[in-house]
Amino acid sequence: MKDSLIKKEYSRKIKLFQKYNREYYNNNTSLISDQEFDLLKNEILDLEKSYSFLKNKNSPSLSIGSIPSKNFKKVKHRVPMLSLGNAFNETDLINFEKKILNFLSLGKSEEIVYSAEPKIDGISASLLYKDGVFVQGLSRGNGVEGEDITKNLKTISDIPKKILAENFPKSIDIRGEVFIKNSDFKLMKDKFSNPRNAASGSLRQKDPNITKKIPLKFIAYTFGYAENLTISSQSDFLKNLKSWGFQTNKFNKKIISTKNLVSYHKELDEKRKELDFDIDGIVYKVNDFNLQKRLGFAANAPRWAIAHKFSANSSISEIINIEIQIGRTGALTPVAKIKPVNIGGVIVSNATLHNEDEINRKDIRVGDIVTVERAGDVIPHVISVDQKKRKINSKKFFFPKKCPSCGSKTVKDFNEQTKKFDAVRRCASEGYDCEKIAVEKIKHFISKEALNIDGFGKRIVENFWSLKILRFPQDIFQLNYKKIENLEGWGDLSVNNLKNSINKSKKVSLDRFIYALGIRHIGQENAKLLAQHLKTADNFFKLSKTKDVKTLLNIDGIGETQIKSIVNFFSNKINLEVLYELKKVLNIPNAEIINRSGVLKNKTFMLTGKLKGISRAEAKSLIEKNSGKILSNVNRKLDYLIVGDKPTIKKINTAKELNITTITQNEWIKMLNKTS
Ligand code: IVH
């Protein structure tokens, strides 16, 4: 077929897709069955895969994620709705528990009590109760702000509208899962593709009368904000939920030790088929609320909970080709293009091969028959090769020694800590010299966690790049809108929306800005630490000029690796240019300094030696929770050196020389217990 005909056919399909979507979301009507809808969607995706010139911003390949629908008011959660880390096997669970024991400074033989709860595959919701009355219900949204779907949630009979129990907190967010039973779903199969979509679609209806007709269920399992909650464990909380009139899962169970978690996982996995609702794993939570509080959160997930997913689905397919993808940090990732196979209801045609070492270890070759696994939301990967089916003329795959995008040499970093070379090979070119890296950098810059430019997706970046509209992040703020308006798939309205969201993104917090730059080893957490330390964008820009990074070593969590990477980033001329161009257009307010009112306010600490009954990690987090600061070496800025068992004598001596107060663990605890 001629390119122009293909384009025409593609546009026609996109228009149809849009029409069905519009009807469905705005007018609640399905013009075709879900199977037909899925078929159309797959046809569009297949066309895009075969012809790289096909791009359209209304393509189903761009409409992913749970962007709150514009029909609902957005409301900030009083306490963010975070996600959970995943475990796939016993080793993952053992590591999860090990980390907990280490953090709490407990011995290996210590037993942790867990609350095990089936993880229902539905839509989470947060219900705000004031004086026992259900006043507002929010969807998860992006975790920080959700959609106000109160009216729709009110139609669910499992959700109590008024709670009279005396021990019900004055103000509390009750959180749980909205879902639909499989037996109910059967009756509406032709409208939705699976029960989860049915629940989600129903909750997002504009007209609550339509939601009302759908038999949605609600199971409660946790809380967000809570005033004067006197309950001390998750299992007790679940009991209370029941007594307050909420539905809880009858398979919730208190379990001690990871061994028993594994056997419960097996038991439920077998029972799964008989249940009338879909579960995709089990959530394990440290039962004791006190321990939960001590453990706290790392990045986006709690340290005290994990989701143990049910085993992966796998299928067999053939490797058609091995392509090398280049990531933002230059990492070369081999990806197997495989003959499309259906794995657990999803058509898979790409599977990651991880890195060069993995290919060599498994001797993976083009033409091989392989087992591909897809577990949860994780990218499908090749787990094994069927050597017996290999053709005699098959050739070993040689990993490219040059970057396939820019031709630069590729390198494997040497890790000083492990004394080993990285498994990952990287393109050695810096900054924006390598085209693929540059595109990935821009995608990162606009991503949700960075500048968060609504409606500016990855495909748009690729499209603008190929049209030479974009080369550097700063180009985003100088777009030629006239030119864009004339591109296929763009119109007045969409260009205006883009303009507005770009303008909105010009005001960005310092941590997001630092994160957006895509400095290697500076993820969200480290960017936050840097922003808290530097306080103003000016200080950051100053740093980029002076490269005087010594003081950064005082930030707990920032180490040599990060500092090296920052210096490296600032040594690149193009990076500096990007930085200064961005400085001209962006408005970066000073960092909001978090919680500066604790008892250790304005005090700096350093630890040496082992403390009794508390791990280093927890001691540090306690100091930070109370507004204190941790330094990682003894210098004049240090106020207190906390001396534990078997301290480093050199540190004590330096502290003495500098007249720094040394304190014992008990003295430190006394400081913590003092009320300010
Ligand atoms: S607790 C920080 N408990 O799993 C605690 N979540 O990835 C997070 N989920 O979005 C939530 N059953 O939709 C929790 N018993 C349960 C759950 C559960 C299902 C879902 C929930 C959340 C996701 C976490």
Side-chain angles (χ1 to χ4, degrees):
M1 220 192 296
K2 263 202 195 144
D3 284 2
S4 60
L5 282 178
I6 294 167
K7 264 191 191 160
K8 217 168 152 190
E9 180 59 13
Y10 174 75
S11 292
R12 190 184 68 82
K13 286 191 197 297
I14 291 273
K15 283 207 181 99
L16 268 177
F17 178 76
Q18 256 185 298
K19 181 170 134 193
Y20 295 146
N21 245 345
R22 233 185 355 250
E23 281 300 319
Y24 177 60
Y25 283 106
N26 297 333
N27 304 329
N28 307 313
T29 33
S30 292
L31 297 178
I32 49 169
S33 75
D34 251 81
Q35 279 84 348
E36 285 170 301
F37 184 75
D38 278 345
L39 193 69
L40 175 68
K41 201 168 91 182
N42 284 333
E43 282 170 356
I44 296 174
L45 297 179
D46 281 342
L47 277 173
E48 284 175 2
K49 241 178 256 153
S50 314
Y51 305 101
S52 58
F53 56 83
L54 294 178
K55 267 164 203 140
N56 190 302
K57 76 169 190 43
N58 295 313
S59 157
S61 57
L62 294 175
S63 48
I64 24 166
S66 61
I67 308 148
S69 142
K70 298 199 170 61
N71 291 334
F72 298 100
K73 192 174 82 185
K74 286 185 193 169
V75 179
K76 201 167 168 195
H77 294 293
R78 297 199 284 186
V79 170
M81 288 180 86
L82 300 170
S83 49
L84 292 172
N86 287 330
F88 294 101
N89 48 44
E90 187 167 3
T91 320
D92 291 349
L93 287 184
I94 291 172
N95 286 335
F96 166 68
E97 189 169 88
K98 236 190 228 161
K99 277 193 197 145
I100 291 178
L101 292 175
N102 277 341
F103 192 94
L104 297 173
S105 198
L106 293 172
K108 269 188 214 141
S109 53
E110 214 65 50
E111 285 185 326
I112 300 275
V113 182
Y114 297 96
S115 166
E117 305 161 17
K119 185 169 179 295
I120 297 185
D121 195 12
I123 304 294
S124 49
S126 185
L127 318 173
L128 161 63
Y129 286 84
K130 275 207 169 134
D131 296 315
V133 180
F134 172 43
V135 288
Q136 187 180 54
L138 306 177
S139 70
R140 180 174 185 275
N142 59 11
V144 177
E145 66 178 9
E147 309 152 294
D148 184 339
I149 48 169
T150 313
K151 282 193 187 131
N152 293 350
L153 287 168
K154 276 195 175 156
T155 67
I156 302 177
S157 59
D158 283 348
I159 296 181
K161 312 299 174 297
K162 199 169 173 138
I163 295 165
L164 298 170
E166 257 178 32
N167 65 344
F168 191 67
K170 200 169 159 45
S171 176
I172 186 167
D173 302 326
I174 300 288
R175 290 176 175 175
E177 209 76 0
V178 176
F179 65 102
I180 187 164
K181 282 203 208 156
N182 290 339
S183 50
D184 287 327
F185 171 69
K186 270 195 194 121
L187 310 171
M188 43 205 291
K189 233 180 175 152
D190 50 337
K191 271 198 147 172
F192 301 97
S193 56
N194 59 44
R196 191 176 186 276
N197 278 354
S200 155
S202 317
L203 267 183
R204 285 159 170 272
Q205 298 296 325
K206 256 198 303 199
D207 179 359
N209 285 321
I210 294 174
T211 311
K212 205 175 180 170
K213 289 189 194 140
I214 298 154
L216 292 173
K217 300 268 152 209
F218 181 78
I219 273 192
Y221 49 67
T222 192
F223 59 90
Y225 175 85
E227 225 165 87
N228 305 331
L229 190 74
T230 50
I231 299 162
S232 60
S233 75
Q234 172 68 7
S235 50
D236 281 350
F237 179 72
L238 290 171
K239 272 186 210 148
N240 272 280
L241 277 173
K242 213 168 167 190
S243 75
W244 293 330
F246 290 96
Q247 302 295 324
T248 52
N249 201 308
K250 69 170 179 183
F251 295 102
N252 290 343
K253 198 174 169 184
K254 218 159 91 175
I255 294 178
I256 302 174
S257 100
T258 46
K259 273 256 161 328
N260 296 325
L261 293 181
V262 173
S263 38
Y264 193 53
H265 190 261
K266 240 192 211 135
E267 192 185 317
L268 266 189
D269 200 2
E270 276 153 24
K271 226 178 251 161
R272 190 145 79 110
K273 310 181 271 303
E274 299 153 28
L275 300 183
D276 200 10
F277 47 84
D278 286 344
I279 55 178
D280 59 353
I282 311 182
V283 180
Y284 307 133
K285 302 172 183 170
V286 170
N287 195 40
D288 185 331
F289 280 169
N290 256 331
L291 294 185
Q292 284 190 7
K293 211 167 134 200
R294 282 176 61 189
L295 287 160
F297 296 84
N300 287 321
R303 288 194 187 91
W304 45 263
I306 200 159
H308 188 182
K309 293 293 185 83
F310 287 122
S311 84
N313 289 305
S314 61
S315 289
I316 291 170
S317 179
E318 182 188 335
I319 299 186
I320 305 165
N321 196 10
I322 296 177
E323 289 182 6
I324 307 291
Q325 283 178 358
I326 298 144
R328 175 174 59 84
T329 58
L332 306 187
T333 306
V335 176
K337 297 276 154 184
I338 57 168
K339 270 198 184 149
V341 275
N342 186 325
I343 311 183
V346 175
I347 307 291
V348 175
S349 45
N350 290 320
T352 179
L353 300 170
H354 300 294
N355 52 52
E356 182 181 8
D357 286 6
E358 173 87 357
I359 294 194
N360 289 339
R361 199 167 35 241
K362 292 186 178 153
D363 185 21
I364 300 169
R365 306 177 180 195
V366 173
D368 274 351
I369 303 297
V370 288
T371 303
V372 178
E373 190 178 82
R374 190 187 145 262
D377 329 319
V378 182
I379 305 169
H381 56 277
V382 169
I383 46 171
S384 61
V385 176
D386 189 344
Q387 302 277 357
K388 277 186 249 127
K389 297 223 171 91
R390 180 173 281 169
K391 295 190 189 92
I392 350 164
N393 61 355
S394 101
K395 287 195 192 78
K396 196 173 162 46
F397 179 80
F398 288 102
F399 207 83
K401 294 286 178 277
K402 282 198 171 150
C403 171
S405 163
C406 68
S408 299
K409 66 170 189 201
T410 58
V411 287
K412 281 184 162 201
D413 287 350
F414 185 72
N415 187 323
E416 289 293 343
Q417 259 145 24
T418 58
K419 301 282 174 227
K420 276 186 191 154
F421 280 98
D422 268 1
V424 176
R425 188 173 277 284
R426 286 171 204 282
C427 165
S429 108
E430 278 296 332
Y432 294 80
D433 296 337
C434 174
E435 175 176 330
K436 281 278 162 35
I437 297 183
V439 174
E440 293 306 315
K441 272 178 176 285
I442 299 176
K443 285 184 193 167
H444 174 79
F445 184 79
I446 55 153
S447 66
K448 211 156 107 186
E449 295 76 20
L451 272 264
N452 189 19
I453 307 182
D454 237 6
F456 202 150
K458 293 183 175 180
R459 286 288 183 104
I460 300 180
V461 175
E462 281 170 12
N463 188 223
F464 285 4
W465 179 277
S466 61
L467 295 168
K468 300 200 168 53
I469 297 177
L470 259 186
R471 278 291 175 267
F472 299 101
Q474 63 266 32
D475 298 342
I476 292 170
F477 306 100
Q478 321 276 343
L479 288 180
N480 181 345
Y481 291 109
K482 277 268 156 323
K483 189 170 170 184
I484 295 170
E485 223 171 74
N486 293 322
L487 298 176
E488 200 188 309
W490 289 90
D492 268 7
L493 190 70
S494 49
V495 167
N496 237 328
N497 285 342
L498 183 69
K499 218 192 271 181
N500 284 338
S501 37
I502 289 178
N503 272 335
K504 227 172 82 190
S505 76
K506 283 185 187 165
K507 186 170 175 191
V508 58
S509 64
L510 182 57
D511 61 307
R512 274 177 181 264
F513 171 69
I514 296 175
Y515 172 74
L517 294 172
I519 307 171
R520 204 170 149 211
H521 301 298
I522 304 296
Q524 279 174 283
E525 280 304 299
N526 285 338
K528 275 187 194 148
L529 293 176
L530 286 169
Q532 285 288 309
H533 175 83
L534 292 165
K535 298 189 183 72
T536 69
D538 270 347
N539 283 340
F540 182 74
F541 291 120
K542 235 182 260 161
L543 191 72
S544 72
K545 267 195 220 142
T546 61
K547 298 197 200 57
D548 183 13
V549 287
K550 278 191 298 296
T551 65
L552 301 186
L553 266 175
N554 284 337
I555 311 175
D556 188 47
I558 302 281
E560 297 280 351
T561 316
Q562 286 77 14
I563 301 229
K564 244 193 200 160
S565 173
I566 294 171
V567 173
N568 200 17
F569 182 86
F570 289 151
S571 314
N572 181 283
K573 250 174 84 186
I574 305 180
N575 283 340
L576 291 184
E577 217 176 288
V578 170
L579 212 58
Y580 289 104
E581 289 304 319
L582 289 173
K583 186 181 178 206
K584 283 189 217 159
V585 280
L586 296 180
N587 165 10
I588 310 170
N590 293 349
E592 273 176 50
I593 303 301
I594 308 163
N595 180 25
R596 288 283 153 229
S597 55
V599 279
L600 303 183
K601 186 178 150 188
N602 295 333
K603 296 193 173 110
T604 57
F605 295 85
M606 196 192 154
L607 298 159
T608 177
K610 203 173 152 22
L611 299 182
K612 268 187 232 87
I614 179 170
S615 71
R616 212 162 243 272
E618 190 181 2
K620 285 180 176 178
S621 111
L622 250 178
I623 290 173
E624 277 162 0
K625 267 189 202 155
N626 287 284
S627 321
K629 240 179 150 180
I630 313 269
L631 301 189
S632 51
N633 56 4
V634 185
N635 62 35
R636 283 181 203 286
K637 284 199 183 141
L638 184 65
D639 297 318
Y640 299 98
L641 179 67
I642 307 170
V643 182
D645 203 22
K646 294 194 188 133
T648 314
I649 302 298
K650 200 175 154 215
K651 283 184 185 150
I652 299 183
N653 288 341
T654 325
K656 271 193 194 137
E657 275 164 34
L658 297 175
N659 255 338
I660 289 163
T661 319
T662 52
I663 54 171
T664 62
Q665 179 174 357
N666 278 343
E667 285 169 318
W668 169 60
I669 302 279
K670 266 189 211 143
M671 280 171 93
L672 274 172
N673 290 338
K674 244 190 226 153
T675 40
S676 54

